[in-house]
Amino acid sequence: MSGTLGDLGEFGLIGALTERVPTGRHVPLGPGDDAAVVAAPDGRVVATTDLLVEGRHFRRDWSTAYDVGRKAAAQNLADIAAMGAVPTALLVGLVGPAELPVAWALELYDGLRDECAVVDTGVAGGDVVRGSSVMISITALGDLQGRAPVTRAGARAGDIVAVAGWLGWSAAGFAILSHGHRNPRAFVEAHRRPEPPYEAGPAAARLGATAMLDVSDGLIADLGHLARASGVRLDLRSELFDIPAQMRDVARALGADPLQWVLTGGEDHALVATFPAGTALTARWRVVGQVAGGGPGVTVDGEEWSGGGGWDHFGG
Amino acid sequence: MSGTLGDLGEFGLIGALTERVPTGRHVPLGPGDDAAVVAAPDGRVVATTDLLVEGRHFRRDWSTAYDVGRKAAAQNLADIAAMGAVPTALLVGLVGPAELPVAWALELYDGLRDECAVVDTGVAGGDVVRGSSVMISITALGDLQGRAPVTRAGARAGDIVAVAGWLGWSAAGFAILSHGHRNPRAFVEAHRRPEPPYEAGPAAARLGATAMLDVSDGLIADLGHLARASGVRLDLRSELFDIPAQMRDVARALGADPLQWVLTGGEDHALVATFPAGTALTARWRVVGQVAGGGPGVTVDGEEWSGGGGWDHFGG
């Protein structure tokens, strides 16, 4: 479909986007009314919302609209998984200038659709409005399937700390792109399109996870939230992280520290959880530390991490 | 609290905003985790999302942050009511420049809080990020209390059309402000802060409403959606609209047609519904027309409305 958002108009665009993306099997009433109706069989609904701003969370010259859509969906679906829940629907808001090509919006929704398909869900509704730059709001809803939510507050001394999914891959990809390179593609692709380990979230809840979150701002920064919420110290063991040889090579070429990427890089949307010692973890989970005694905080090999990191959306 | 969003940083701001607004009694787990948990006793959740963009949906020189907050909450809570549901929680995203005063964000949340309090709900979670202009995303969730949702598709020939709430007040207020005036205040206030008739939504469902929506873009424009969804013609009778004398006076002074405001003015978030003929309506509802034979559409006194109206977010 050619033309711009201005040519098509609000209702034309909504119609085109709605056609593009199924609502999924959890949505008895989808777009076209004042509100959607989404199944909540548990009697509770898990809900999270995120904003993605052009120039801050994505660049149209670095990522295709399709990849932005996949990433936008992924970061919200990962938040649902991090509660131990399964996603039931997304709601999507799109702000765009009148000059934005309709094709860009359609490809964005193709990306949303395909990431939703990974977890058998869809887009239940949304809003589109004109604004000076591109901005996407995503709300994800999920179902706890009768389990208690796995919060950040349940870690106890003696628990093990384990990770599912990728760490440092998006940061490596970002570093590669920042230096004007396009390869190795595996890292660039990981930056453009994270692959959160969605199923590991509900699986962790079934395994008895005591606390969990998804790594969006960096492992140490995000574990700091978990440490404070639980009132514990988390000690990571650097030798337990499996840094791939190719990541080490890229780091050497760019003069970077690969462990820094792993410990502080965000946007891979790995899940990190604490489990009672002795929990028989599945192959998806890799133990990377333990919950130690002492005041709230995160240490690496028993010491404060001095490499910096974290991400403050109004800072720097 | 003085300073800017940039001074306070993301987590400082989230903490200050979270303290400011209760989560409400439907939220077993509020802000501070990967996602909130909201009660959904019906086993389904009603969900809607809207975006408000500075310069398009509000102006900081015309409306206080407090009023923007009330309006943002109101338009979403009205969507929940228009399904016949009761609101359970809001999720709120805020984009703002680093220079935005923290006081503006806090007052915005005060407005959200007070509008939520009208319907005994609160803010369950959200997101704040930096961007070049102010943008607010709101998602509202609601509970159907065991009733079927009242969609736009159920109107049948012979039904009556009735309205609860205000029509044309916001449009009159906008016209007053556009001419550089500040009075009469009642209309200016109505533009700054709509008062949707929330309780009339679930009440209409209990009365047997066959179709319903909230008037956000103008009565004729929005009824057009209902007419198409139901496959009916809705005929409004102009003499049934009770246009206040003060509105007629303002219209005369500004050279405007008050019926145009009533029929095409948006943002008052009145509810309009169809009911089987003979339904004993409560005092909140005013009959303004009926569902007539013929192809889908909306007529006024049996004829096409020629006064224009409606609102296309990418048009004009």
Side-chain angles (χ1 to χ4, degrees), chain B residues 24-26 70 73-74 76-78 80-81 85-90 112-122 140-141 196-200 202:
Chain B
R25 65 187 177 86
H26 306 284
R70 290 203 69 143
N76 283 275
L77 296 170
I80 298 296
V86 295
T88 49
L90 294 188
L112 294 168
R113 176 196 65 208
D114 289 357
E115 193 66 23
C116 282
V118 174
V119 288
D120 193 18
T121 186
L141 304 177
Y198 299 116
E199 289 149 38

Side-chain angles (χ1 to χ4, degrees), chain A residues 5-6 8-11 13 28-29 32-53 56-57 75 78-80 82-83 91-98 125-133 135 137 139-141 144 149-153 212-214 217 225 311-316, chain B residues 5-6 8-11 13 28-29 32-53 56-57 75 78-80 82-83 91-98 125-133 135 137 139-141 144 149-153 212-214 217 225 311-316:
Chain A
L5 265 51
L8 196 55
E10 178 192 6
F11 296 113
L13 179 61
L29 183 69
D33 225 293
D34 291 88
V37 180
V38 179
D42 175 88
R44 298 165 294 177
V45 62
V46 176
T48 182
T49 196
D50 271 330
L51 297 162
L52 286 90
V53 175
R56 187 138 191 100
H57 299 103
Q75 72 181 53
D79 280 331
I80 298 297
M83 303 303 290
L91 300 166
V92 180
L94 172 62
V95 179
D127 192 18
V128 296
V129 302
R130 191 158 78 179
S132 54
S133 60
M135 226 274 323
S137 73
T139 298
L141 304 177
L144 286 163
V150 183
T151 71
R152 298 174 174 190
M212 180 158 53
L213 46 63
D214 97 293
D217 294 341
H225 304 310
W311 177 254
D312 185 314
H313 293 277
F314 286 103
Chain B
L5 266 51
L8 197 56
E10 179 193 5
F11 295 113
L13 179 62
L29 183 69
D33 225 294
D34 290 88
V37 180
V38 179
D42 175 88
R44 298 166 294 178
V45 61
V46 176
T48 181
T49 198
D50 269 330
L51 298 163
L52 285 90
V53 176
R56 187 138 191 100
H57 299 102
Q75 74 180 50
D79 280 331
I80 298 296
M83 302 304 289
L91 300 166
V92 179
L94 172 62
V95 179
D127 191 18
V128 296
V129 302
R130 192 157 77 179
S132 53
S133 61
M135 225 274 324
S137 74
T139 299
L141 304 177
L144 286 162
V150 183
T151 71
R152 299 175 174 188
M212 181 158 53
L213 48 63
D214 98 292
D217 294 342
H225 303 310
W311 178 255
D312 185 314
H313 294 277
F314 287 102

Side-chain angles (χ1 to χ4, degrees), chain B residues 143-211:
Chain B
D143 189 69
L144 286 162
Q145 302 182 313
R147 293 181 297 270
V150 183
T151 71
R152 299 175 174 188
R156 292 162 304 186
D159 284 354
I160 53 175
V161 179
V163 170
W166 310 98
L167 288 172
W169 285 63
S170 177
F174 182 79
I176 290 165
L177 288 167
S178 298
H179 282 76
H181 304 302
R182 299 254 154 193
N183 290 293
R185 289 204 67 74
F187 300 110
V188 172
E189 286 300 311
H191 176 66
R192 290 189 172 141
R193 194 189 301 173
E195 293 186 5
Y198 299 116
E199 289 149 38
R206 287 190 293 269
L207 286 167
T210 52

Side-chain angles (χ1 to χ4, degrees), chain A residues 3-74:
Chain A
T4 65
L5 265 51
D7 300 334
L8 196 55
E10 178 192 6
F11 296 113
L13 179 61
I14 289 174
L17 297 177
T18 300
E19 265 180 27
R20 202 88 170 179
V21 181
T23 56
R25 64 188 177 86
H26 306 284
V27 179
L29 183 69
D33 225 293
D34 291 88
V37 180
V38 179
D42 175 88
R44 298 165 294 177
V45 62
V46 176
T48 182
T49 196
D50 271 330
L51 297 162
L52 286 90
V53 175
E54 179 175 14
R56 187 138 191 100
H57 299 103
F58 62 90
R59 287 176 51 164
R60 278 196 270 159
D61 53 341
W62 280 10
S63 295
T64 64
Y66 179 82
D67 285 342
V68 173
R70 290 203 70 145
K71 194 169 184 168

